[in-house]
């Protein structure tokens, strides 16, 4: 791969990291609570759930100090701990920094017994609140799996199986959350209903294209305009063998019934794209544009990337928030949807174009990376049969490792969906420094 394209790929990765840094969860929450600190005089409790929960909770603690009476931080279990079914706690130093909040960890994206424990603990806190109390709900992507309270007649195994089937069938996340909200005792505004008559303020870091509050974490503390009939239709479309669970579906909290609830979106995929585009312009001199968010089938998105790449002038870049769906086969290896799209696009890109596809949480499926940053020249180091086999088996991680195209960030403390950057290199001799 040419030095110029290597430099361009590095610039895309650096801008991706810079955009995440600018949307610091702790800082966003701290600023959002500035006015609240003066207005509220009663007790304050915090329930933070999702991949950004520790950072968001730190922001609340920095702003409110000793006024927070208690609460929970529920975030994702480290893979090694989850596999051994060990502790639900963070490491001691981080746990100490979040006191007086109790810290719990659970599984993602399929809930586990710890997810049930966390949901029950959250519901118990809510049920104990009075009319002078304030519940601050800090929700981010991943909260749906971390808070699992199956309704009567539905076991945890049932819940795990239906969520797994929806995800593996390639259901859009909106449909997955639609089913989750109507098959739960905590989602779809039910945690807020349990907290009544207390006031509930929800601060959100949205991981969903379109950014509707009831889709973030399946909306445990916000009203839900969707209906149970819509959820049953989604179940029939994506996981019809679970029709036996139909009697357990119930209506969620509706906007007309919501009392003393307020919700604010602090960050979303569009804001991340704007920050990354600004970083590309400021650091790499690219004429970068934040494009509208996309979702849909991963294979169709690959074709869109080809079409977009052909329209870019030298020195131009487009930054696209993206929520792809990818139906998986039973025979699959290590990989993720971001890495899969990057590998599927590799051989069809124009020779002077680089493409980054990365998960904002730093965890692209089972790949062990955030995603990949590729250019067509990398394909010369790998034969077509190997690439085609990896795509068919959803085993893109091994190819990206061999090509040196992995984007490795580790868990970022974010979850603002995936981000794609398509950039065309400058004309020879015209590179901006």
């Amino acid at each position: 791969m040419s030095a110029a394209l290597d430099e361009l790929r590095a610039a895309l990765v650096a801008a991706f990291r810079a955009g995440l840094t600018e949307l610091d969860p702790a800082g966003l929450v701290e600023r959002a609570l500035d006015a609240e600190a003066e207005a509220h005089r009663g007790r304050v409790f915090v329930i933070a759930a999702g991949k950004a929960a520790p950072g968001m909770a730190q922001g609340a603690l920095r702003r409110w100090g000793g006024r927070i009476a208690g609460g929970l931080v529920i975030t994702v279990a480290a893979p090694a701990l989850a596999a051994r079914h060990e502790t639900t706690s963070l490491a001691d130093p981080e746990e100490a920094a979040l006191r007086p909040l109790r810290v719990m960890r659970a599984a993602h994206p399929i809930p586990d017994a710890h997810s049930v424990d966390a949901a029950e603990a959250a519901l118990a806190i809510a049920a104990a609140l009075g009319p002078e109390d304030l519940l601050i709900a800090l929700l981010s992507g991943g909260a749906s799996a971390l808070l699992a309270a199956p309704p009567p007649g539905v076991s945890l195994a049932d819940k795990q199986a239906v969520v797994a089937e929806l995800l593996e069938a390639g259901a859009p996340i909106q449909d997955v959350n639609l089913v989750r909200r109507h098959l739960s005792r905590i989602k779809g505004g039910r945690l807020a209903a349990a907290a009544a008559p207390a006031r509930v303020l929800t601060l959100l870091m949205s991981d969903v294209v379109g950014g509707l509050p009831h889709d973030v974490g399946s909306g445990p503390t916000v009203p839900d305009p969707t209906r149970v009939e819509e959820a049953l239709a989604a179940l029939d479309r994506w996981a019809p063998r679970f029709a036996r669970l139909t009697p357990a579906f119930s209506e969620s909290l509706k906007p007309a019934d919501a009392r003393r609830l307020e919700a604010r979106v602090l960050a979303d995929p569009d804001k991340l794209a704007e920050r990354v585009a600004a970083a590309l312009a400021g650091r790499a001199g690219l004429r970068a544009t934040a494009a509208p968010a996309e979702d849909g089938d991963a294979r169709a998105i690959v074709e869109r990337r080809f079409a977009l790449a052909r329209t870019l002038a030298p020195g131009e870049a487009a930054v696209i928030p993206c929520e792809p769906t990818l139906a998986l086969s039973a025979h699959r290896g290590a990989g993720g949807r971001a890495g899969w799209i990057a590998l599927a696009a590799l051989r069809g890109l124009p020779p002077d174009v680089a493409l980054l596809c990365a998960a904002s949480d730093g965890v692209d499926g089972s790949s062990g990376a955030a995603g990949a940053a590729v250019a067509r020249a990398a394909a010369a180091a790998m034969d077509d049969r190997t690439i085609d086999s990896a795509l068919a088996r959803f085993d893109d991680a091994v190819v990206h490792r061999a090509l040196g195209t992995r984007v490795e960030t580790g868990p970022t403390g974010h979850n603002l969906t995936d981000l794609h950057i398509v950039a065309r290199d400058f004309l020879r001799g015209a590179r901006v420094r």
Side-chain angles (χ1 to χ4, degrees), residues 185-196:
R185 291 184 292 109
I186 192 168
K187 298 176 174 69
R190 294 176 182 85
L191 181 59

Side-chain angles (χ1 to χ4, degrees), residues 409-428:
T409 63
T412 63
H414 279 278
N415 195 9
L416 299 171
T417 202
D418 290 2
L419 199 75
H420 294 182
I421 310 175
V422 187
R424 187 180 289 275
D425 193 25
F426 294 91
L427 291 171
R428 186 180 301 276

